[in-house]
Amino acid sequence: MIAVGSDAPSFQLPGVDDGEIGEYALDDYDGESIVVLAFYPADFSPACTDELCALQDLELFAMQRDVTIFGISPDSVYSHRAFATEYNLGFPLLSDSVGNVAEQYGVLQSEFEGHERVPKRSVFVLDANLTVEYAWCGESPVDLPDLEAVRDAVEAVQDDGTAIERYRTACNHFRFGRSEFETARTAFEREDWSTADATFGEALGYFDEAAAAFESARRFGSDPVAHRAATAAETADAYRRAAKWYAESAEYYADDAPEWGDEYRDDAIEALHSAPDDGDISDLYPLSE
């Protein structure tokens, strides 16, 4: 089995996700997310079902922007599609049909229940640079991974370089959102309700992206990155709520319902007042120098 600290061997395999068949290359996730590889011998094997369903239950999917899970077995994409549908698996299942990838990772077994070249049940956690941070391989077909250890390994991955890049991406979204937000407020003050509604909607989309990316930087950056990202996420979320409520206010004013328009406008103003100062959001940049 490849050791912790090793570069994860690259691969490209056919797979299925949400019923759609496609190709999946590990290198596509370099710098993009933490990757969890879960090798298992066969679809519909009871122990394998328990393992993959438990991985889904780890709440890793609350961190979808940061964690990618792949289940890997020798089965065909058609078997994978039926298996994923039967057990409502929400991550891609890949087909290592001749066992080459399992062999690269050092988890290939010569025989399993009459089938040749199938993987042992095993789990690898790769950081955003595709370095192995956690490795486990079961020796018995009934062995299951310690899923709390998998969770801990995922949460322990801290990569300030990647976190800062995500922070920068968030800053760009936030900047675009602020520009749209100010344009929308000008239209709102002119009582151009249609323009205000549409433009606050544009701002809302940017603030959604910004809040999610700041939160991603918070989870996977160490101090002081995490602290600054947490404050920035609060700011973006406050603006997100303000944009949403300003848009609803404009709709009510346009529908000649000023009492509701006033209420949502006041909620939007209150949200803005709750936002931490956004003037320091770019302070993370010097940390990457």
Side-chain angles (χ1 to χ4, degrees), residues 55-77:
L55 278 174
Q56 178 145 283
D57 290 342
L58 271 180
E59 297 179 358
L60 293 177
F61 290 93
M63 297 152 48
Q64 286 183 35
R65 294 174 178 271
D66 310 300
V67 180
T68 299
I69 298 179
F70 291 122
I72 305 176
S73 86
D75 297 282
S76 72
V77 290

Side-chain angles (χ1 to χ4, degrees), residues 178-196:
R178 279 296 307 273
S179 177
E180 293 292 327
F181 188 85
E182 294 306 325
T183 299
R185 278 215 291 192
T186 298
F188 190 90
E189 291 167 0
R190 293 199 311 261
E191 299 186 1
D192 181 354
W193 308 126
S194 177
T195 300

Side-chain angles (χ1 to χ4, degrees), residues 40-260:
Y40 64 102
D43 292 338
F44 297 102
S45 170
C48 297
T49 301
D50 290 344
E51 176 190 0
L52 294 182
C53 290
L55 278 174
Q56 178 145 283
D57 290 342
L58 271 180
E59 297 179 358
L60 293 177
F61 290 93
M63 297 152 48
Q64 286 183 35
R65 294 174 178 271
D66 310 300
V67 180
T68 299
I69 298 179
F70 291 122
I72 305 176
S73 86
D75 297 282
S76 72
V77 290
Y78 304 105
S79 174
H80 283 339
R81 183 158 59 187
F83 185 43
T85 299
E86 177 73 18
Y87 292 98
N88 195 32
L89 299 176
F91 50 88
L93 300 180
L94 310 187
S95 296
D96 182 23
S97 58
V98 294
N100 288 342
V101 176
E103 187 171 25
Q104 285 180 290
Y105 280 78
V107 296
L108 186 70
Q109 54 187 333
S110 59
E111 187 273 340
F112 174 76
E113 295 183 353
H115 299 278
E116 297 181 353
R117 292 183 63 82
V118 296
K120 296 178 181 178
R121 192 168 292 106
S122 48
V123 176
F124 297 90
V125 175
L126 318 180
D127 69 14
N129 297 314
L130 303 183
T131 300
V132 178
E133 298 290 341
Y134 172 86
W136 171 88
C137 181
E139 293 304 320
S140 166
V142 297
D143 288 345
L144 289 174
D146 180 348
L147 296 178
E148 288 304 314
V150 177
R151 184 204 298 274
D152 291 344
V154 169
E155 293 182 348
V157 172
Q158 292 185 330
D159 180 349
D160 279 350
T162 300
I164 289 172
E165 286 306 313
R166 293 178 183 183
Y167 191 100
R168 286 176 166 171
T169 297
C171 284
N172 287 332
H173 287 305
F174 185 80
R175 186 175 70 252
F176 294 142
R178 279 296 307 273
S179 177
E180 293 292 327
F181 188 85
E182 294 306 325
T183 299
R185 278 215 291 192
T186 298
F188 190 90
E189 291 167 0
R190 293 199 311 261
E191 299 186 1
D192 181 354
W193 308 126
S194 177
T195 300
D197 183 16
T199 312
F200 278 125
E202 292 290 329
L204 176 61
Y206 284 120
F207 292 140
D208 278 339
E209 293 293 328
F214 282 133
E215 180 62 17
S216 171
R218 181 197 67 78
R219 281 197 297 266
F220 294 101
S222 59
D223 288 339
V225 176
H227 176 74
R228 176 59 64 189
T231 301
E234 289 180 25
T235 301
D237 184 64
Y239 273 90
R240 181 192 63 78
R241 288 182 282 116
K244 179 176 183 293
W245 290 330
Y246 265 127
E248 294 186 14
S249 174
E251 289 181 11
Y252 279 116
Y253 283 133
D255 291 339
D256 199 25
E259 67 281 2
W260 286 103

